[in-house]
């Protein structure tokens, strides 16, 4: 029996990559250079060890580019959850599941349609201690729980990770310095140790809220505010509610970190 | 008194039928029950119509398509009550004629009438709820603090922006999924898409060896739990697979 958490998820990702490579090989194909991992925002998926594993996949040339996307907490319903619904119903309906083999068989035949049954279904009995293995190599990075997109690519033989708060953002952060990196030292010089957090980060900045309210931040100059009473009233309202909105944001980030 | 001379010509009557009944005008009306002008009008109460219009408006703003049926839109609300509360707050924040605001039951029926196309996510039991939505709902409900109409509008728009953001993330996910399924003219694919998710641990009946002879709490029992992790892989239209890996874990 094994423990859950990051170790378990990393092992599963490793097994899946191996399984995928084997299945593609049967069809005369190979693994593509780019892969996109999609996860919910759970702590067992979004952790430094998982990022280290992604970096390892890049450094050992399994993939050239990896993108890791996370859905927003509380809104993580995905298509696979529908399949889980079928599985949990099948498990619930059984009065007694006597052994792991019985469970395996049940999961294999849970879906009524044969073409929707799993391609591979197997138990994991051994999990490596990735946490311990990766520990000496982990970089310090604060607030990595906040961004929703991460990318990994190779630079001078080393994997580098960048982040985006939301997929709609155009550029990946941190911005690379305008030099051609020739050594590990050059890469490490531009390393960042924490994700930049700005107020109203969950809605992509306060300007977004102001625009939604019909207030153009550029036109809200002192002269305009004084001359226009409705504008000044609206701005006063925004000012009054801002602490509450910021507390909602801080609470949600805090709860995310605790998870 | 209508005489034969004062009757409208047949073509005019046909045109009238066409306008009122649309395509049904082509049917022989002697076979089917004739629809009167009054019956063609919207018979619903204005409150139901208002509630329906609001639901449709929200669905256009940030609904997700259902994973299993593309024609169904899922709204990110846990219950009809929560959705209704937001509707009431919306009506308060924009001053409208309060005769039009639907009551809870009317709102529920309006939502039920759209069941074929719009449904609620209703996933509180299995999924963690969104703290931002919950806190914003609490604020809108107004416990200790009373917010003014304008302030409510700001909170509502804040929540909407957050929901719009999550809808954007889902669209990005769909885009990635479609891109992974595409192939180059040479028959090669450039991307693979791996969607991993774990199912809530289910407690089986298999006794756990060395589990102890007492229960400390609800979570601690002498049975083996299992964690089922499914992985949905897309690598071109030819290769879409589902891999299920079961890990037997201590809970």
């Amino acid at each position: 029996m094994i423990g859950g958490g990051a170790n378990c998820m990393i092992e599963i990702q490793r097994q899946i990559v191996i399984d995928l490579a084997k299945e593609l090989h049967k069809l005369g194909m190979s693994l593509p250079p780019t892969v996109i991992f999609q996860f919910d925002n759970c702590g067992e998926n979004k952790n430094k060890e998982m990022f280290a594993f992604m970096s390892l996949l890049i450094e050992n040339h399994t993939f050239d580019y990896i993108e890791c996307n996370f859905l927003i907490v509380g809104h993580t319903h995905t298509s696979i959850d529908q399949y889980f619904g079928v599985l949990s119903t099948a498990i619930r309906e059984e009065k007694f599941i006597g052994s792991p083999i019985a469970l395996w068989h049940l999961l294999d035949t849970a879906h009524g349609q044969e073409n929707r049954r799993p391609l591979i279904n197997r138990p994991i009995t051994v999990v490596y201690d990735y946490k311990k293995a990766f520990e000496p190599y982990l970089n310090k990075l604060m607030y990595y729980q906040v961004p929703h997109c991460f990318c990994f690519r190779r630079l001078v033989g080393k994997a580098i990770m960048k982040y985006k708060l939301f997929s709609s953002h155009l550029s990946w952060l941190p911005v690379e310095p305008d030099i051609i990196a020739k050594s590990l030292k050059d890469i490490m010089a531009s390393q960042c140790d924490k994700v930049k957090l700005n107020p109203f980060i969950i809605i992509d900045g306060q300007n977004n809220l102001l625009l939604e309210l019909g207030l153009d931040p550029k036109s809200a100059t002192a002269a305009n505010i004084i001359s226009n009473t409705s504008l000044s009233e609206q701005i006063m309202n925004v000012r009054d509610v801002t602490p509450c909105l910021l507390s909602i944001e801080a609470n949600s980030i805090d709860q995310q970190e605790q998870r | 008194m209508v005489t034969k001379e004062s009757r409208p010509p047949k073509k005019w009557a046909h045109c009238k039928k066409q306008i009122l009944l649309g395509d049904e005008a082509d049917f022989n009306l002697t076979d089917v029950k004739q629809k009167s002008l009054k019956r063609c009008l919207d018979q619903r109460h204005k409150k139901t119509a208002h509630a329906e219009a609001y639901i449709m408006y929200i669905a256009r703003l940030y609904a997700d398509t259902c994973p299993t049926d593309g024609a169904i839109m899922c709204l990110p609300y846990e219950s009809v009550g929560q959705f209704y509360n937001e509707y009431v707050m919306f009506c308060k924040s924009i001053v409208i004629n309060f005769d039009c605001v639907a009551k809870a039951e009317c709102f529920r029926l309006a939502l039920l009438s759209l069941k074929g196309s719009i449904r609620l996510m209703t996933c509180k039991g299995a999924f963690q709820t969104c703290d931002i939505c919950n806190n914003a709902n609490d604020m809108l409900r107004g416990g200790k603090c009373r917010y003014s109409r304008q302030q409510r509008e700001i909170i509502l728009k804040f929540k909407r922006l957050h929901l719009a953001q999550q809808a954007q993330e889902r669209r990005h996910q769909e885009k990635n999924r479609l891109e992974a399924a595409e192939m180059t003219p040479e028959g090669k694919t450039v991307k693979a898409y791996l969607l991993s998710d774990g199912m809530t641990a289910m407690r089986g009946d298999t006794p756990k060896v060395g589990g102890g002879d007492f229960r400390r709490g609800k979570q601690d029992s002498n049975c083996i739990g299992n964690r089922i992790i499914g992985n949905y892989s897309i690598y071109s239209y030819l290769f879409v697979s589902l891999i299920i890996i079961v890990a037997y874990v201590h809970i």
Side-chain angles (χ1 to χ4, degrees):
Chain A
M1 237 184 286
I2 54 146
N7 281 339
C8 182
M9 279 313 288
I10 293 169
E11 176 63 21
I12 282 160
Q13 296 313 312
R14 191 182 73 86
Q15 300 262 357
I16 282 162
V17 171
I18 293 169
D19 284 339
L20 191 65
K22 279 181 188 170
E23 291 300 319
L24 289 172
H25 183 70
K26 282 181 201 167
L27 299 168
M29 297 194 272
S30 58
L31 282 173
T34 302
V35 67
I36 294 156
F37 284 95
Q38 183 75 47
F39 297 112
D40 56 10
N41 221 319
C42 179
E44 65 180 3
N45 299 325
K46 200 178 194 179
N47 49 58
K48 285 183 194 172
E49 287 81 14
M50 181 63 87
F51 295 152
F53 175 68
M54 301 284 166
S55 305
L56 192 66
L57 288 178
I58 289 286
E59 285 188 19
N60 66 14
H61 293 256
T62 310
F63 300 107
D64 290 339
Y65 182 82
I66 295 176
E67 207 176 293
C68 229
N69 295 318
F70 297 87
L71 288 169
I72 293 175
V73 182
H75 304 281
T76 56
H77 196 88
T78 52
S79 54
I80 207 156
D81 292 315
Q82 189 267 337
Y83 201 88
F84 286 155
V86 176
L87 298 185
S88 62
T89 309
I91 293 172
R92 233 184 0 253
E93 279 173 0
E94 288 299 316
K95 281 182 184 163
F96 182 70
I97 303 169
S99 67
I101 296 168
L103 180 65
W104 173 82
H105 181 72
L106 183 68
L107 297 180
D108 216 26
T109 53
H111 210 289
Q113 296 169 11
E114 267 189 43
N115 59 344
R116 298 199 68 185
R117 286 179 184 168
L119 181 78
I120 297 164
N121 174 15
R122 61 186 166 80
I124 285 190
T125 45
V126 176
V127 165
Y128 297 111
D129 193 351
Y130 292 98
K131 279 186 184 177
K132 208 170 181 183
F134 289 144
E135 204 180 352
Y137 307 102
L138 296 180
N139 293 327
K140 275 185 185 171
L141 181 63
M142 285 165 77
Y143 311 123
Y144 63 87
Q145 297 93 341
V146 180
H148 294 89
C149 305
F150 296 86
C151 80
F152 301 82
R153 66 182 182 89
R154 213 175 302 113
L155 191 68
V156 208
K158 289 279 165 192
I160 57 161
M161 181 183 93
K162 288 185 167 199
Y163 67 88
K164 267 201 298 194
L165 291 173
F166 294 106
S167 59
S168 52
H169 287 200
L170 292 175
S171 54
W172 292 95
L173 296 171
V175 179
E176 274 180 56
D178 206 9
I179 54 160
I180 299 164
K182 287 176 183 168
S183 64
L184 190 61
K185 207 178 168 186
D186 291 340
I187 300 169
M188 296 307 273
S190 56
Q191 185 191 353
C192 80
D193 59 351
K194 65 177 171 187
V195 169
K196 247 186 172 180
L197 296 182
N198 297 321
F200 290 101
I201 204 165
I202 54 169
I203 53 161
D204 205 6
Q206 193 176 16
N207 282 0
N208 258 352
L209 180 66
L210 295 177
L211 286 171
E212 182 76 15
L213 292 166
L215 292 170
D216 188 2
K218 284 174 192 165
S219 67
T221 55
N224 276 349
I225 294 166
I226 293 164
S227 60
N228 190 340
T229 46
S230 70
L231 183 68
S232 62
E233 199 182 320
Q234 220 172 355
I235 286 172
M236 290 282 269
N237 279 323
V238 173
R239 195 201 60 182
D240 291 345
V241 181
T242 297
C244 301
L245 300 180
L246 286 175
S247 77
I248 289 180
E249 184 176 69
N251 280 346
S252 70
I253 292 171
D254 183 47
Q255 279 157 348
Q256 173 65 11
E257 257 193 69
Q258 282 176 22
R259 279 181 197 133
Chain B
M1 192 180 160
V2 180
T3 60
K4 202 174 181 183
E5 287 75 32
S6 66
R7 270 185 198 160
K10 275 185 178 174
K11 205 166 185 183
W12 163 246
H14 181 75
C15 287
K16 204 168 80 173
K17 258 194 305 181
Q18 187 87 40
I19 290 163
L20 291 176
L21 305 173
D23 294 339
E24 285 182 31
D26 295 337
F27 293 116
N28 185 4
L29 289 178
T30 52
D31 297 341
V32 292
K33 221 180 189 178
Q34 277 203 18
K35 285 185 182 176
S36 69
L37 179 62
K38 205 177 170 187
R39 285 187 68 189
C40 290
L41 288 171
D42 194 351
Q43 294 289 303
R44 295 170 308 168
H45 195 273
K46 60 183 174 183
K47 288 184 179 180
T48 315
H50 187 260
E52 266 191 33
Y54 177 77
I55 294 164
M56 302 281 273
Y57 165 66
I58 293 293
R60 270 201 301 277
L61 276 184
Y62 43 70
D64 301 322
T65 48
C66 177
T68 49
D69 188 347
I72 295 172
M73 310 267 260
C74 289
L75 290 172
Y77 296 95
E78 290 149 17
S79 63
V80 184
Q82 193 193 61
F83 194 17
Y84 175 70
N85 280 338
E86 198 185 296
Y87 165 70
V88 174
M89 292 310 152
F90 172 78
C91 294
K92 278 184 189 170
S93 70
I94 57 158
V95 185
I96 57 162
N97 182 8
F98 280 91
D99 292 346
C100 293
V101 180
K103 291 271 162 45
E105 182 59 17
C106 182
F107 188 82
R108 191 185 66 80
L109 290 172
L111 188 64
L112 204 67
S113 69
L114 297 168
K115 203 181 174 185
S117 57
I118 297 169
R119 285 179 202 171
L120 299 186
M121 202 75 102
T122 58
C123 51
K124 194 171 182 177
F127 290 85
Q128 282 171 340
T129 50
C130 177
D131 301 319
I132 298 160
C133 291
N134 291 346
N135 292 340
N137 285 337
D138 289 344
M139 282 172 83
L140 285 170
R141 216 174 290 130
K144 287 174 188 171
C145 298
R146 293 271 167 214
Y147 294 100
S148 67
R149 188 179 63 78
Q150 291 89 345
Q151 286 170 338
R152 275 179 203 286
E153 196 185 335
I154 294 166
I155 299 166
L156 205 64
K157 293 218 164 141
F158 176 80
K159 189 189 162 192
R160 284 228 180 113
L161 274 175
H162 161 68
L163 287 172
Q165 196 71 57
Q166 69 89 23
Q168 166 70 33
E169 292 300 311
R170 278 179 188 281
R171 278 197 293 274
H172 181 68
Q173 182 191 340
E174 281 303 307
K175 189 181 139 249
N176 279 336
R177 189 200 288 249
L178 292 172
E179 276 178 8
E182 275 174 14
M183 290 175 96
T184 57
E186 295 85 42
K188 284 183 179 177
T189 53
V190 283
K191 264 186 191 179
Y193 173 85
L194 301 172
L195 167 71
S196 280
D197 202 358
M199 182 171 142
T200 314
M202 301 289 292
R203 207 176 301 283
D205 297 328
T206 315
K208 188 161 75 181
V209 177
D213 54 358
F214 61 92
R215 283 183 71 169
R216 289 190 198 109
K218 204 177 173 186
Q219 293 295 310
D220 185 34
S221 80
N222 296 335
C223 296
I224 293 175
N226 57 65
R227 182 99 175 121
I228 298 165
I229 287 113
N231 193 284
Y232 182 64
S233 324
I234 297 182
Y235 181 85
S236 88
Y237 284 115
L238 301 170
F239 190 78
V240 179
S241 75
L242 178 73
I243 300 169
I244 287 187
I245 295 178
V246 185
Y248 301 96
V249 296
H250 290 287
I251 299 173

